Amino acid sequence: MLLALGVVKVATAGQLRQLVLPGTADEQTVRNAAKDLRDAGLTESLGRSYRPGRTGMPVAQDLWNLTAAGLAAAASELGRPVKEMGGTARDAARAGAAHALAVADTIDAFRQSPPLATKPVARRTAPPAQRRQPALRPARAGSSAGLVDGGRPTGTRDATPAKGSLRADAVRSSMRWSWCK
């Protein structure tokens, strides 16, 4: 979970569950891990996000982000200098982090499992449709190196590459997590 927060910076327990432990039954396992990391001084929860619940009513979700010590630990585990990791995103978490949550959802969409086979529905005016085979998602979606020159957008500074630019390494890092396959 520390590595996931090192990449996405801010996420809800549900998003962390999808990224790190997609096979778990509920989010409580991730919440407990985030609280343990908070007790160790590596994470904090400074804000809340509101999303529609099962009944359509808004449900508050705590936003988790890394502390400075957590960012340093994540940088060490990811094998990157702390300067390249960006900030702790404390202000974004306090403000609700709408963009950061959308980025985490996008990374999860890139890592989605293969689609399940469904039965085609025949049209009323057309003859019955032939069974189509579901599209199989490749084990790896391919290299993202073509998206950005050298893994970093052009025109950014080496000391602070995450400020003001999209980081393609978030997708790369998420595909390297061996426990998420």
Side-chain angles (χ1 to χ4, degrees), residues 45-134:
S45 178
L46 298 176
R48 287 187 161 203
S49 172
Y50 296 90
R51 291 190 177 194
R54 292 180 184 156
T55 62
M57 298 296 296
V59 175
Q61 297 177 317
D62 288 334
L63 298 176
W64 293 94
N65 62 293
L66 295 174
T67 62
L71 189 66
S76 173
E77 288 296 317
L78 289 171
R80 296 178 58 193
V82 176
K83 285 195 264 185
E84 284 188 12
M85 293 292 291
T88 60
R90 295 183 86 199
D91 292 333
R94 285 187 183 125
H99 177 74
L101 297 178
V103 169
D105 286 339
T106 302
I107 291 171
D108 182 44
F110 276 119
R111 297 184 51 259
Q112 71 183 350
S113 59
L116 299 174
T118 59
K119 293 181 180 179
V121 177
R123 291 186 164 173
R124 294 180 185 171
T125 58
Q130 295 179 356
R131 289 195 131 215
R132 295 186 314 181
Q133 296 295 325

Side-chain angles (χ1 to χ4, degrees), residues 5-6 8 10 32 37 43-44 48 56 70 122 125 138 143 145 148 150 153 156 158 164 174-175:
L5 282 174
V8 298
V10 178
N32 291 341
L37 289 172
T43 63
E44 59 189 355
R48 287 187 161 203
T125 58
S143 173
V148 181
T156 60
D158 285 337
S174 71
M175 290 180 180

